[in-house]
Amino acid sequence: MLDNLKGKRVVLASGSPRRRQLLGGLEIDFTVRLINGIDETYPDGMAMAEIPKYISRRKAEAYVPTMASDEIIITADTIVWADGEVLGKPRTPDEAVSMLRRLSGRTHQVVTGVTVLSADRRETFACVTDVTFDTLSEAEMQHYVADYKPLDKAGAYGIQEYIGYIGVTGISGSYFNVMGLPVQKLYRVLLTF
């Protein structure tokens, strides 16, 4: 369906297996290329939806020096927003459980910023999804963190895993955005490249 991409090489600039799976669902050929050590900090006081957009642009800029003229680079960054602050990737299991306690019985936002970059164009957008959790027991949270080790996930959870099965009572917006890549919106943007 994305015939406009013929003659282009699509590059997913992400090590996330979930993003690879989701982009693969668009039935396009792509390769994965990683540059390690890209600075993912952002200025204080930045609005919720601007944070992942800023970081995805920063990631895209790191690829410009080595980008070929026929390439389309896709970068993304996902944050969990709760109580007016970002819940990033937890550093320890205890921090992961603490994050889940903050999300338990409440609604939070998952925001993904995506940048699509070619030799002559750059487009950045954000997608916001509201996710509501049931009240989780301490045992459920401890089990999830011990068995699923969500230290590589913003907000310490993957909606497609156990905690999502037992804990998510409502979602408003893109499910795939919560997994890390709003593929429906990305598809519409890729149609214009």
Side-chain angles (χ1 to χ4, degrees):
M1 294 299 298
L2 289 165
D3 293 337
N4 59 307
L5 298 182
K6 284 188 169 74
K8 298 287 185 184
R9 292 184 297 154
V10 177
V11 176
L12 176 63
S14 174
S16 165
R18 293 163 299 281
R19 288 194 180 122
R20 282 193 294 258
Q21 173 193 0
L22 292 170
L23 186 59
L26 295 183
E27 300 178 359
I28 58 174
D29 291 327
F30 67 94
T31 58
V32 173
R33 186 181 314 146
L34 297 175
I35 296 176
N36 292 319
I38 298 172
D39 182 9
E40 296 188 22
T41 60
Y42 52 89
D44 288 339
M46 191 169 269
M48 173 186 74
E50 293 306 310
I51 295 169
K53 286 169 54 177
Y54 177 87
I55 296 170
S56 76
R57 280 192 299 268
R58 181 172 265 185
K59 289 177 179 179
E61 288 164 5
Y63 287 81
V64 170
T66 59
M67 189 172 124
S69 61
D70 64 342
E71 287 183 326
I72 295 175
I73 308 287
I74 300 168
T75 61
D77 188 74
T78 302
I79 65 166
V80 170
W81 184 264
D83 302 321
E85 67 181 59
V86 174
L87 298 185
K89 295 174 184 174
R91 293 179 295 267
T92 66
D94 286 343
E95 189 176 4
V97 172
S98 177
M99 286 183 184
L100 291 174
R101 281 189 200 112
R102 287 186 66 182
L103 301 177
S104 177
R106 308 186 65 207
T107 299
H108 63 275
Q109 289 70 44
V110 177
V111 190
T112 301
V114 178
T115 297
V116 183
L117 175 72
S118 69
D120 57 359
R121 183 171 168 203
R122 176 173 71 182
E123 183 157 344
T124 300
F125 63 88
C127 183
V128 181
T129 304
D130 291 331
V131 180
T132 303
F133 267 83
D134 197 355
T135 301
L136 302 169
S137 72
E138 190 68 20
E140 290 164 340
M141 292 183 285
Q142 294 286 348
H143 166 74
Y144 175 67
V145 170
D147 286 12
Y148 290 85
K149 302 180 182 14
L151 302 185
D152 64 334
K153 295 173 178 67
Y157 79 94
I159 194 168
Q160 72 280 5
E161 297 174 338
Y162 170 82
I163 205 75
Y165 298 161
I166 68 151
V168 174
T169 61
I171 181 170
S172 178
S174 168
Y175 172 83
F176 298 115
N177 180 53
V178 183
M179 283 181 66
L181 193 65
V183 286
Q184 185 277 334
K185 199 164 186 176
L186 175 59
Y187 172 78
R188 295 292 169 202
V189 169
L190 288 172
L191 281 171
T192 69
F193 267 73

